[in-house]
Amino acid sequence: MLNGDNYDSRDPELIAMYHHARKLLKTFNNLDSEAIAQREQLLSVLFKHKGTNVWVEAPFFCDYGKNISIGENTFVNTNCMFIDNNKITIGKNGLIAPYVQIYTAGHPLKASERIIQEKNRSRYLTTTKPVTIGDNVWIGGNSIIFPGVVIGDNVTIGAGSVVTKDIPSDVLAFGNPCAIKKEL
């Protein structure tokens, strides 16, 4: 999966990881906002790496959690969805606005390559590419980051953007598809 090869997302090992993450997320998303120590502990178990002073607003959603690394002082606002079938790396001092979606998973375009018919069920093949977001990045609300995208340092992505390609450091970019509008 992490190599980007086709895989079955219903593999028993992945399903076990999924259920583990769902239990942690259910507890996290239902905690009182003042239960800071419990929230910190749950995120430390859920994520591969969580820097100091990371704040994640509930509700938060992800597939596995184990493929997510977030640098120090980063703020993730409410209702974000991180599809972490591959590595999602977010640098330090980030601002991730509400409803941001980060996808690492995709599927073969041709149905004949995507769907494997078996006797009693269909299986769906998935592929993945990591997403990397640099330091000091602000991702505006309702933005979508596609698999394989690298966003440099000191970037602002405007709200509602669909980021399909890499964005270099020190720029303002927005739109659908997301494009560089100005150097910062």
Side-chain angles (χ1 to χ4, degrees):
M1 179 173 83
L2 295 175
N3 289 334
D5 299 332
N6 284 337
Y7 70 97
D8 180 0
S9 64
R10 296 298 172 243
D11 176 85
E13 181 181 353
L14 294 176
I15 291 294
M17 289 172 54
Y18 169 87
H19 289 306
H20 176 72
R22 285 296 175 276
K23 288 175 187 172
L24 293 171
L25 288 168
K26 181 178 181 183
T27 302
F28 176 83
N29 288 332
N30 288 301
L31 278 176
D32 186 278
S33 63
E34 294 178 324
I36 305 299
Q38 287 177 281
R39 293 166 57 92
E40 289 284 319
Q41 191 272 335
L42 285 167
L43 291 176
S44 292
V45 172
L46 179 66
F47 294 153
K48 178 179 181 180
H49 170 76
K50 182 186 77 55
T52 57
N53 299 316
V54 167
W55 187 277
V56 177
E57 284 286 333
F60 173 79
F61 306 97
C62 65
D63 273 355
Y64 307 113
K66 291 292 184 195
N67 297 321
I68 299 171
S69 295
I70 301 178
E72 64 189 40
N73 303 314
T74 290
F75 179 83
V76 178
N77 214 320
T78 189
N79 282 304
C80 288
M81 170 65 80
F82 294 3
I83 304 298
D84 65 312
N85 301 64
N86 205 312
K87 295 176 183 176
I88 295 174
T89 305
I90 300 171
K92 65 183 179 182
N93 304 314
L95 295 173
I96 310 295
Y99 293 95
V100 168
Q101 301 166 62
I102 301 175
Y103 300 145
T104 64
H107 304 280
L109 295 178
K110 290 177 67 176
S112 61
E113 295 172 5
R114 178 175 59 243
I115 304 166
I116 297 173
Q117 299 289 338
E118 294 180 340
K119 197 167 23 173
N120 296 325
R121 70 178 191 120
S122 295
R123 291 188 309 123
Y124 306 96
L125 294 180
T126 303
T127 60
T128 68
K129 294 179 184 174
V131 169
T132 303
I133 299 171
D135 295 337
N136 314 312
V137 173
W138 174 21
I139 308 289
N142 286 303
S143 292
I144 300 170
I145 314 295
F146 273 41
V149 165
V150 175
I151 297 174
D153 296 331
N154 311 310
V155 171
T156 298
I157 301 291
S161 293
V162 179
V163 187
T164 61
K165 295 180 180 172
D166 293 354
I167 303 293
S169 295
D170 303 304
V171 297
L172 165 66
F174 57 87
N176 180 6
C178 188
I180 297 167
K181 303 301 182 179
K182 120 180 180 180
E183 290 187 23
L184 299 176

